Amino acid sequence: MVASTLSEVARLAGVSPATASRVLNGSARTPGQDIAERVRAAAESLGYIPNAQAQGLAKSSSGLIGLIVHDIADPYFAAIARGVQEAAREQGRMVLLATTAGAPADEREAVAAFAARRADSIVIAGSRSARPEDGEGNTELAAELDRYCRNGGQVAVVGHAVVGASSTEGYHVVPVPNEDLAAELAAELAVSRDDDFVIIGGPAGLFTSDDRVRGFQRGLADAGLPPAEIVRTGFNRSGGFDAGVALAARIKASPEAGDTSGYAKRTCIFAVNDVMAIGAAAALRSEGLRIPRDATIAGFDDIETLRDFRPALSTVHLPLEEIGRQATRRAAGMIGEEAAPSTITGHVTLRRSTEGVLPSEGISRMLPTDS
Amino acid sequence: MVASTLSEVARLAGVSPATASRVLNGSARTPGQDIAERVRAAAESLGYIPNAQAQGLAKSSSGLIGLIVHDIADPYFAAIARGVQEAAREQGRMVLLATTAGAPADEREAVAAFAARRADSIVIAGSRSARPEDGEGNTELAAELDRYCRNGGQVAVVGHAVVGASSTEGYHVVPVPNEDLAAELAAELAVSRDDDFVIIGGPAGLFTSDDRVRGFQRGLADAGLPPAEIVRTGFNRSGGFDAGVALAARIKASPEAGDTSGYAKRTCIFAVNDVMAIGAAAALRSEGLRIPRDATIAGFDDIETLRDFRPALSTVHLPLEEIGRQATRRAAGMIGEEAAPSTITGHVTLRRSTEGVLPSEGISRMLPTDS
DNA sequence: CATCAGTGGGAATGCGCTTTCCCAACTCGC
DNA sequence: GCGAGTTGGGAAAGCGCATTCCCACTGATG
């Protein structure tokens, strides 16, 4: 990467590098009209492109925002990334991407790499975890973040704080009301239902999953229902599929006929995110079960690409893009912490996948499906 | 962003900055054991993180890969981005993201920004366009890329070369066999069918769309069928939806009864990408039409998140992740141009959305659906 | 014992830019 | 018309690091 330099431009324009610098970048001092014109012409003719590395070095700031996600191809993260990207653009910065599959060790490495590049701020979108095997990794990640913040860096993390992070200056958390929303979802599903509730959760210790599980159980309890059974599996589509296969076997093994109350009890499945729900639905289908006839299912996130899924998936809408945007703005100091402590809200969106369909149940709410 | 510097480490270790630099980064010369240990200890205790900007400036290379996509939340680009990210990791580089919505002016700007950051290579994933309104923008983009290449940069573009780019040193294209695969799809769909074929295409001038349209028509022609009508719309889900609404009206307006041949002619819709197909399918459904009973539909890309869509979407599988990987490797000079001119292959994947279902047609191939 | 290649460390230069400081020329007011 | 204030440009000192060159010292060789 060779390219013409500022001094070359300056020489061609017959001015000093200082002057060239002043006209080519918005300095406080603006040289005279004629000189400015000469310099600009020289720059143009030389195809001058400022060296951002050198600029960064001189100004000690890079115009970079580091973004950490588990997997950029996961629609959840992709949506957040879009928001981050958008906010970055507003700020005139560029985003530096790192994918870590949720491994704290990789995340630590990514933070170090961002720090090395002197990123102005870091946004961590990946769900936090408190799993025992992540303990050491989390500690090191927290230490790395701490160091980054001490050096003046800004960190925003989505959902939960990193385990062990002492909230120093420059450390922000964008809270996501996972628990409350899950409770709300449970409440809505519990209305005039007495289905068997089952939760397909991610690995224990994954905060996002745990919050949603806890919230759902709370909602059930508030409705006077017993806690749902929890099936733990991978936090992705294939995890949902596996769980779905297992559940399908059980649903088929306990036919309605066995029910003493005289009418069918359906299984209502709550998968802690949409892609898991889709996986589970696919599994049920492949086992010959129909939704919502033989079982109902709900997810979480309201992934855009899944909106046209059939049967339309009941879920909890989360403003993912806004979450990304807000995290990015917060890390840039554009949102006062105290001014707006938490502005992320979602809402339960019931669609066909949890509709009541059994005549014997005596209830059949027709819920609107969008578009 | 302040942080401890190399000289601080050197001073603490009681050596010169030169020596510290040699031990802390894989230099050709390796200082003695004891000294190295002292330096490493000093660095550790100071929490030293090398300043990548300064390193880049000194070595004139940045370890950065620029990635240009239309929209990172679009699953097509997200999948490619995953491949790019993966390959970047292999190379020990980081990826810098830019989204442009396909506007050449924005793309030019992104290239300039990457050049300013002295990115080692640039991967352009967005589909190229030859629309008249993009003419000027394309010229400027080509010029910018040219300059970047002349300065030693490496560019890889997915699909088609940028319009007007003179293929200088360091300019690579990863060809995607859109046309051939579309022809193949048409051929498969044309087998023992005499449906009315309709193509939902993107804006004229968008290469990816045009290639697929052209290929599909060729496949139809090769099968002895007349060319399909083309409906042009936006290259995204909502475009597909709009087109679907229009088509639904027509399908409903021309009932089977009107057919002189005595049996029903279905409309077979080819949408030039999966999300458009999904949009169209949603529109048909909302108009009360069923797929594949009242119309069949096929897409292109085989987006992972859409695999569980119902009815399962016939499409053309493209190894998106591999495309991203390969583009990135090529730009890094890891793949000889001549050695492997084109290794991207896809395959037609027929699923339920194009199944024959009308008894009157006398044909009802049961095609396997995956999972 | 003197010379020489070889080794291991440091001084110094430069990567491309920003920014402070400095100085010449100029404008203004009395 | 002259000093004070102002303007506009340049010189130079870094920003943090890699790297070339140089030097002192070692052990081997004739």
Side-chain angles (χ1 to χ4, degrees), chain A residues 85-166:
Chain A
Q85 169 73 36
E86 206 175 294
R89 186 164 204 151
E90 272 174 17
Q91 301 173 16
R93 303 191 218 266
M94 301 203 74
V95 3
L96 212 45
L97 189 63
T99 63
T100 62
D106 285 352
E107 296 183 331
R108 194 201 67 78
E109 203 177 313
V111 170
F114 290 152
R117 300 231 134 77
R118 298 301 185 263
D120 299 333
S121 48
I122 294 179
V123 174
I124 301 183
S127 148
R128 303 296 86 216
S129 129
R131 286 180 296 180
E133 66 264 39
D134 287 341
E136 193 182 345
N138 271 327
T139 308
E140 290 184 8
L141 171 58
E144 194 74 55
L145 281 174
D146 229 52
R147 183 200 306 188
Y148 176 73
C149 288
R150 268 201 313 278
N151 288 340
Q154 297 282 321
V155 174
V157 23
V158 171
H160 277 278
V162 169
V163 176
S166 46

Side-chain angles (χ1 to χ4, degrees), chain B residues 15-16 18-19 22 29 31-32 35 57-58:
Chain B
V15 300
S16 77
T19 304
R22 288 196 261 258
R29 289 179 48 178
I35 292 223
L57 185 55

